[in-house]
Amino acid sequence: MLDGIHFEETGKPAVVVATSSFVRLATSIKRSMNLEDLPLVAVSHPLGDRDAAAAKAQTVAEEIVNDLTG
């Protein structure tokens, strides 16, 4: 979350990726920092082992790219 905020503040495109358990917190932080336009992509919680996390990353990769380039 903090990296995404820092990128936004320096004019670099960013997307925050959070597990479903942290979406509410990430949204609250975005609002408190006046960064409602900062894209937030959710993946199911928990990430799991390396293979499970990689599979979850694949499911949101296109959305992340679209948020960064759109």
Side-chain angles (χ1 to χ4, degrees):
M1 188 71 208
L2 294 178
D3 288 338
I5 290 169
H6 176 72
F7 275 41
E8 282 290 310
E9 290 175 341
T10 59
K12 297 173 185 152
V15 174
V16 172
V17 179
T19 65
S20 53
S21 293
F22 294 95
V23 168
R24 285 183 51 202
L25 175 61
T27 301
S28 294
I29 293 170
K30 284 178 18 165
R31 285 187 188 128
S32 71
M33 300 293 293
N34 198 28
L35 293 170
E36 288 89 354
D37 293 335
L38 177 62
L40 175 62
V41 174
V43 295
S44 61
H45 185 87
L47 287 177
D49 64 19
R50 186 179 198 160
D51 292 333
K56 289 177 185 182
Q58 285 294 323
T59 67
V60 295
E62 186 174 339
E63 183 179 357
I64 292 168
V65 170
N66 287 340
D67 285 343
L68 287 171
T69 60

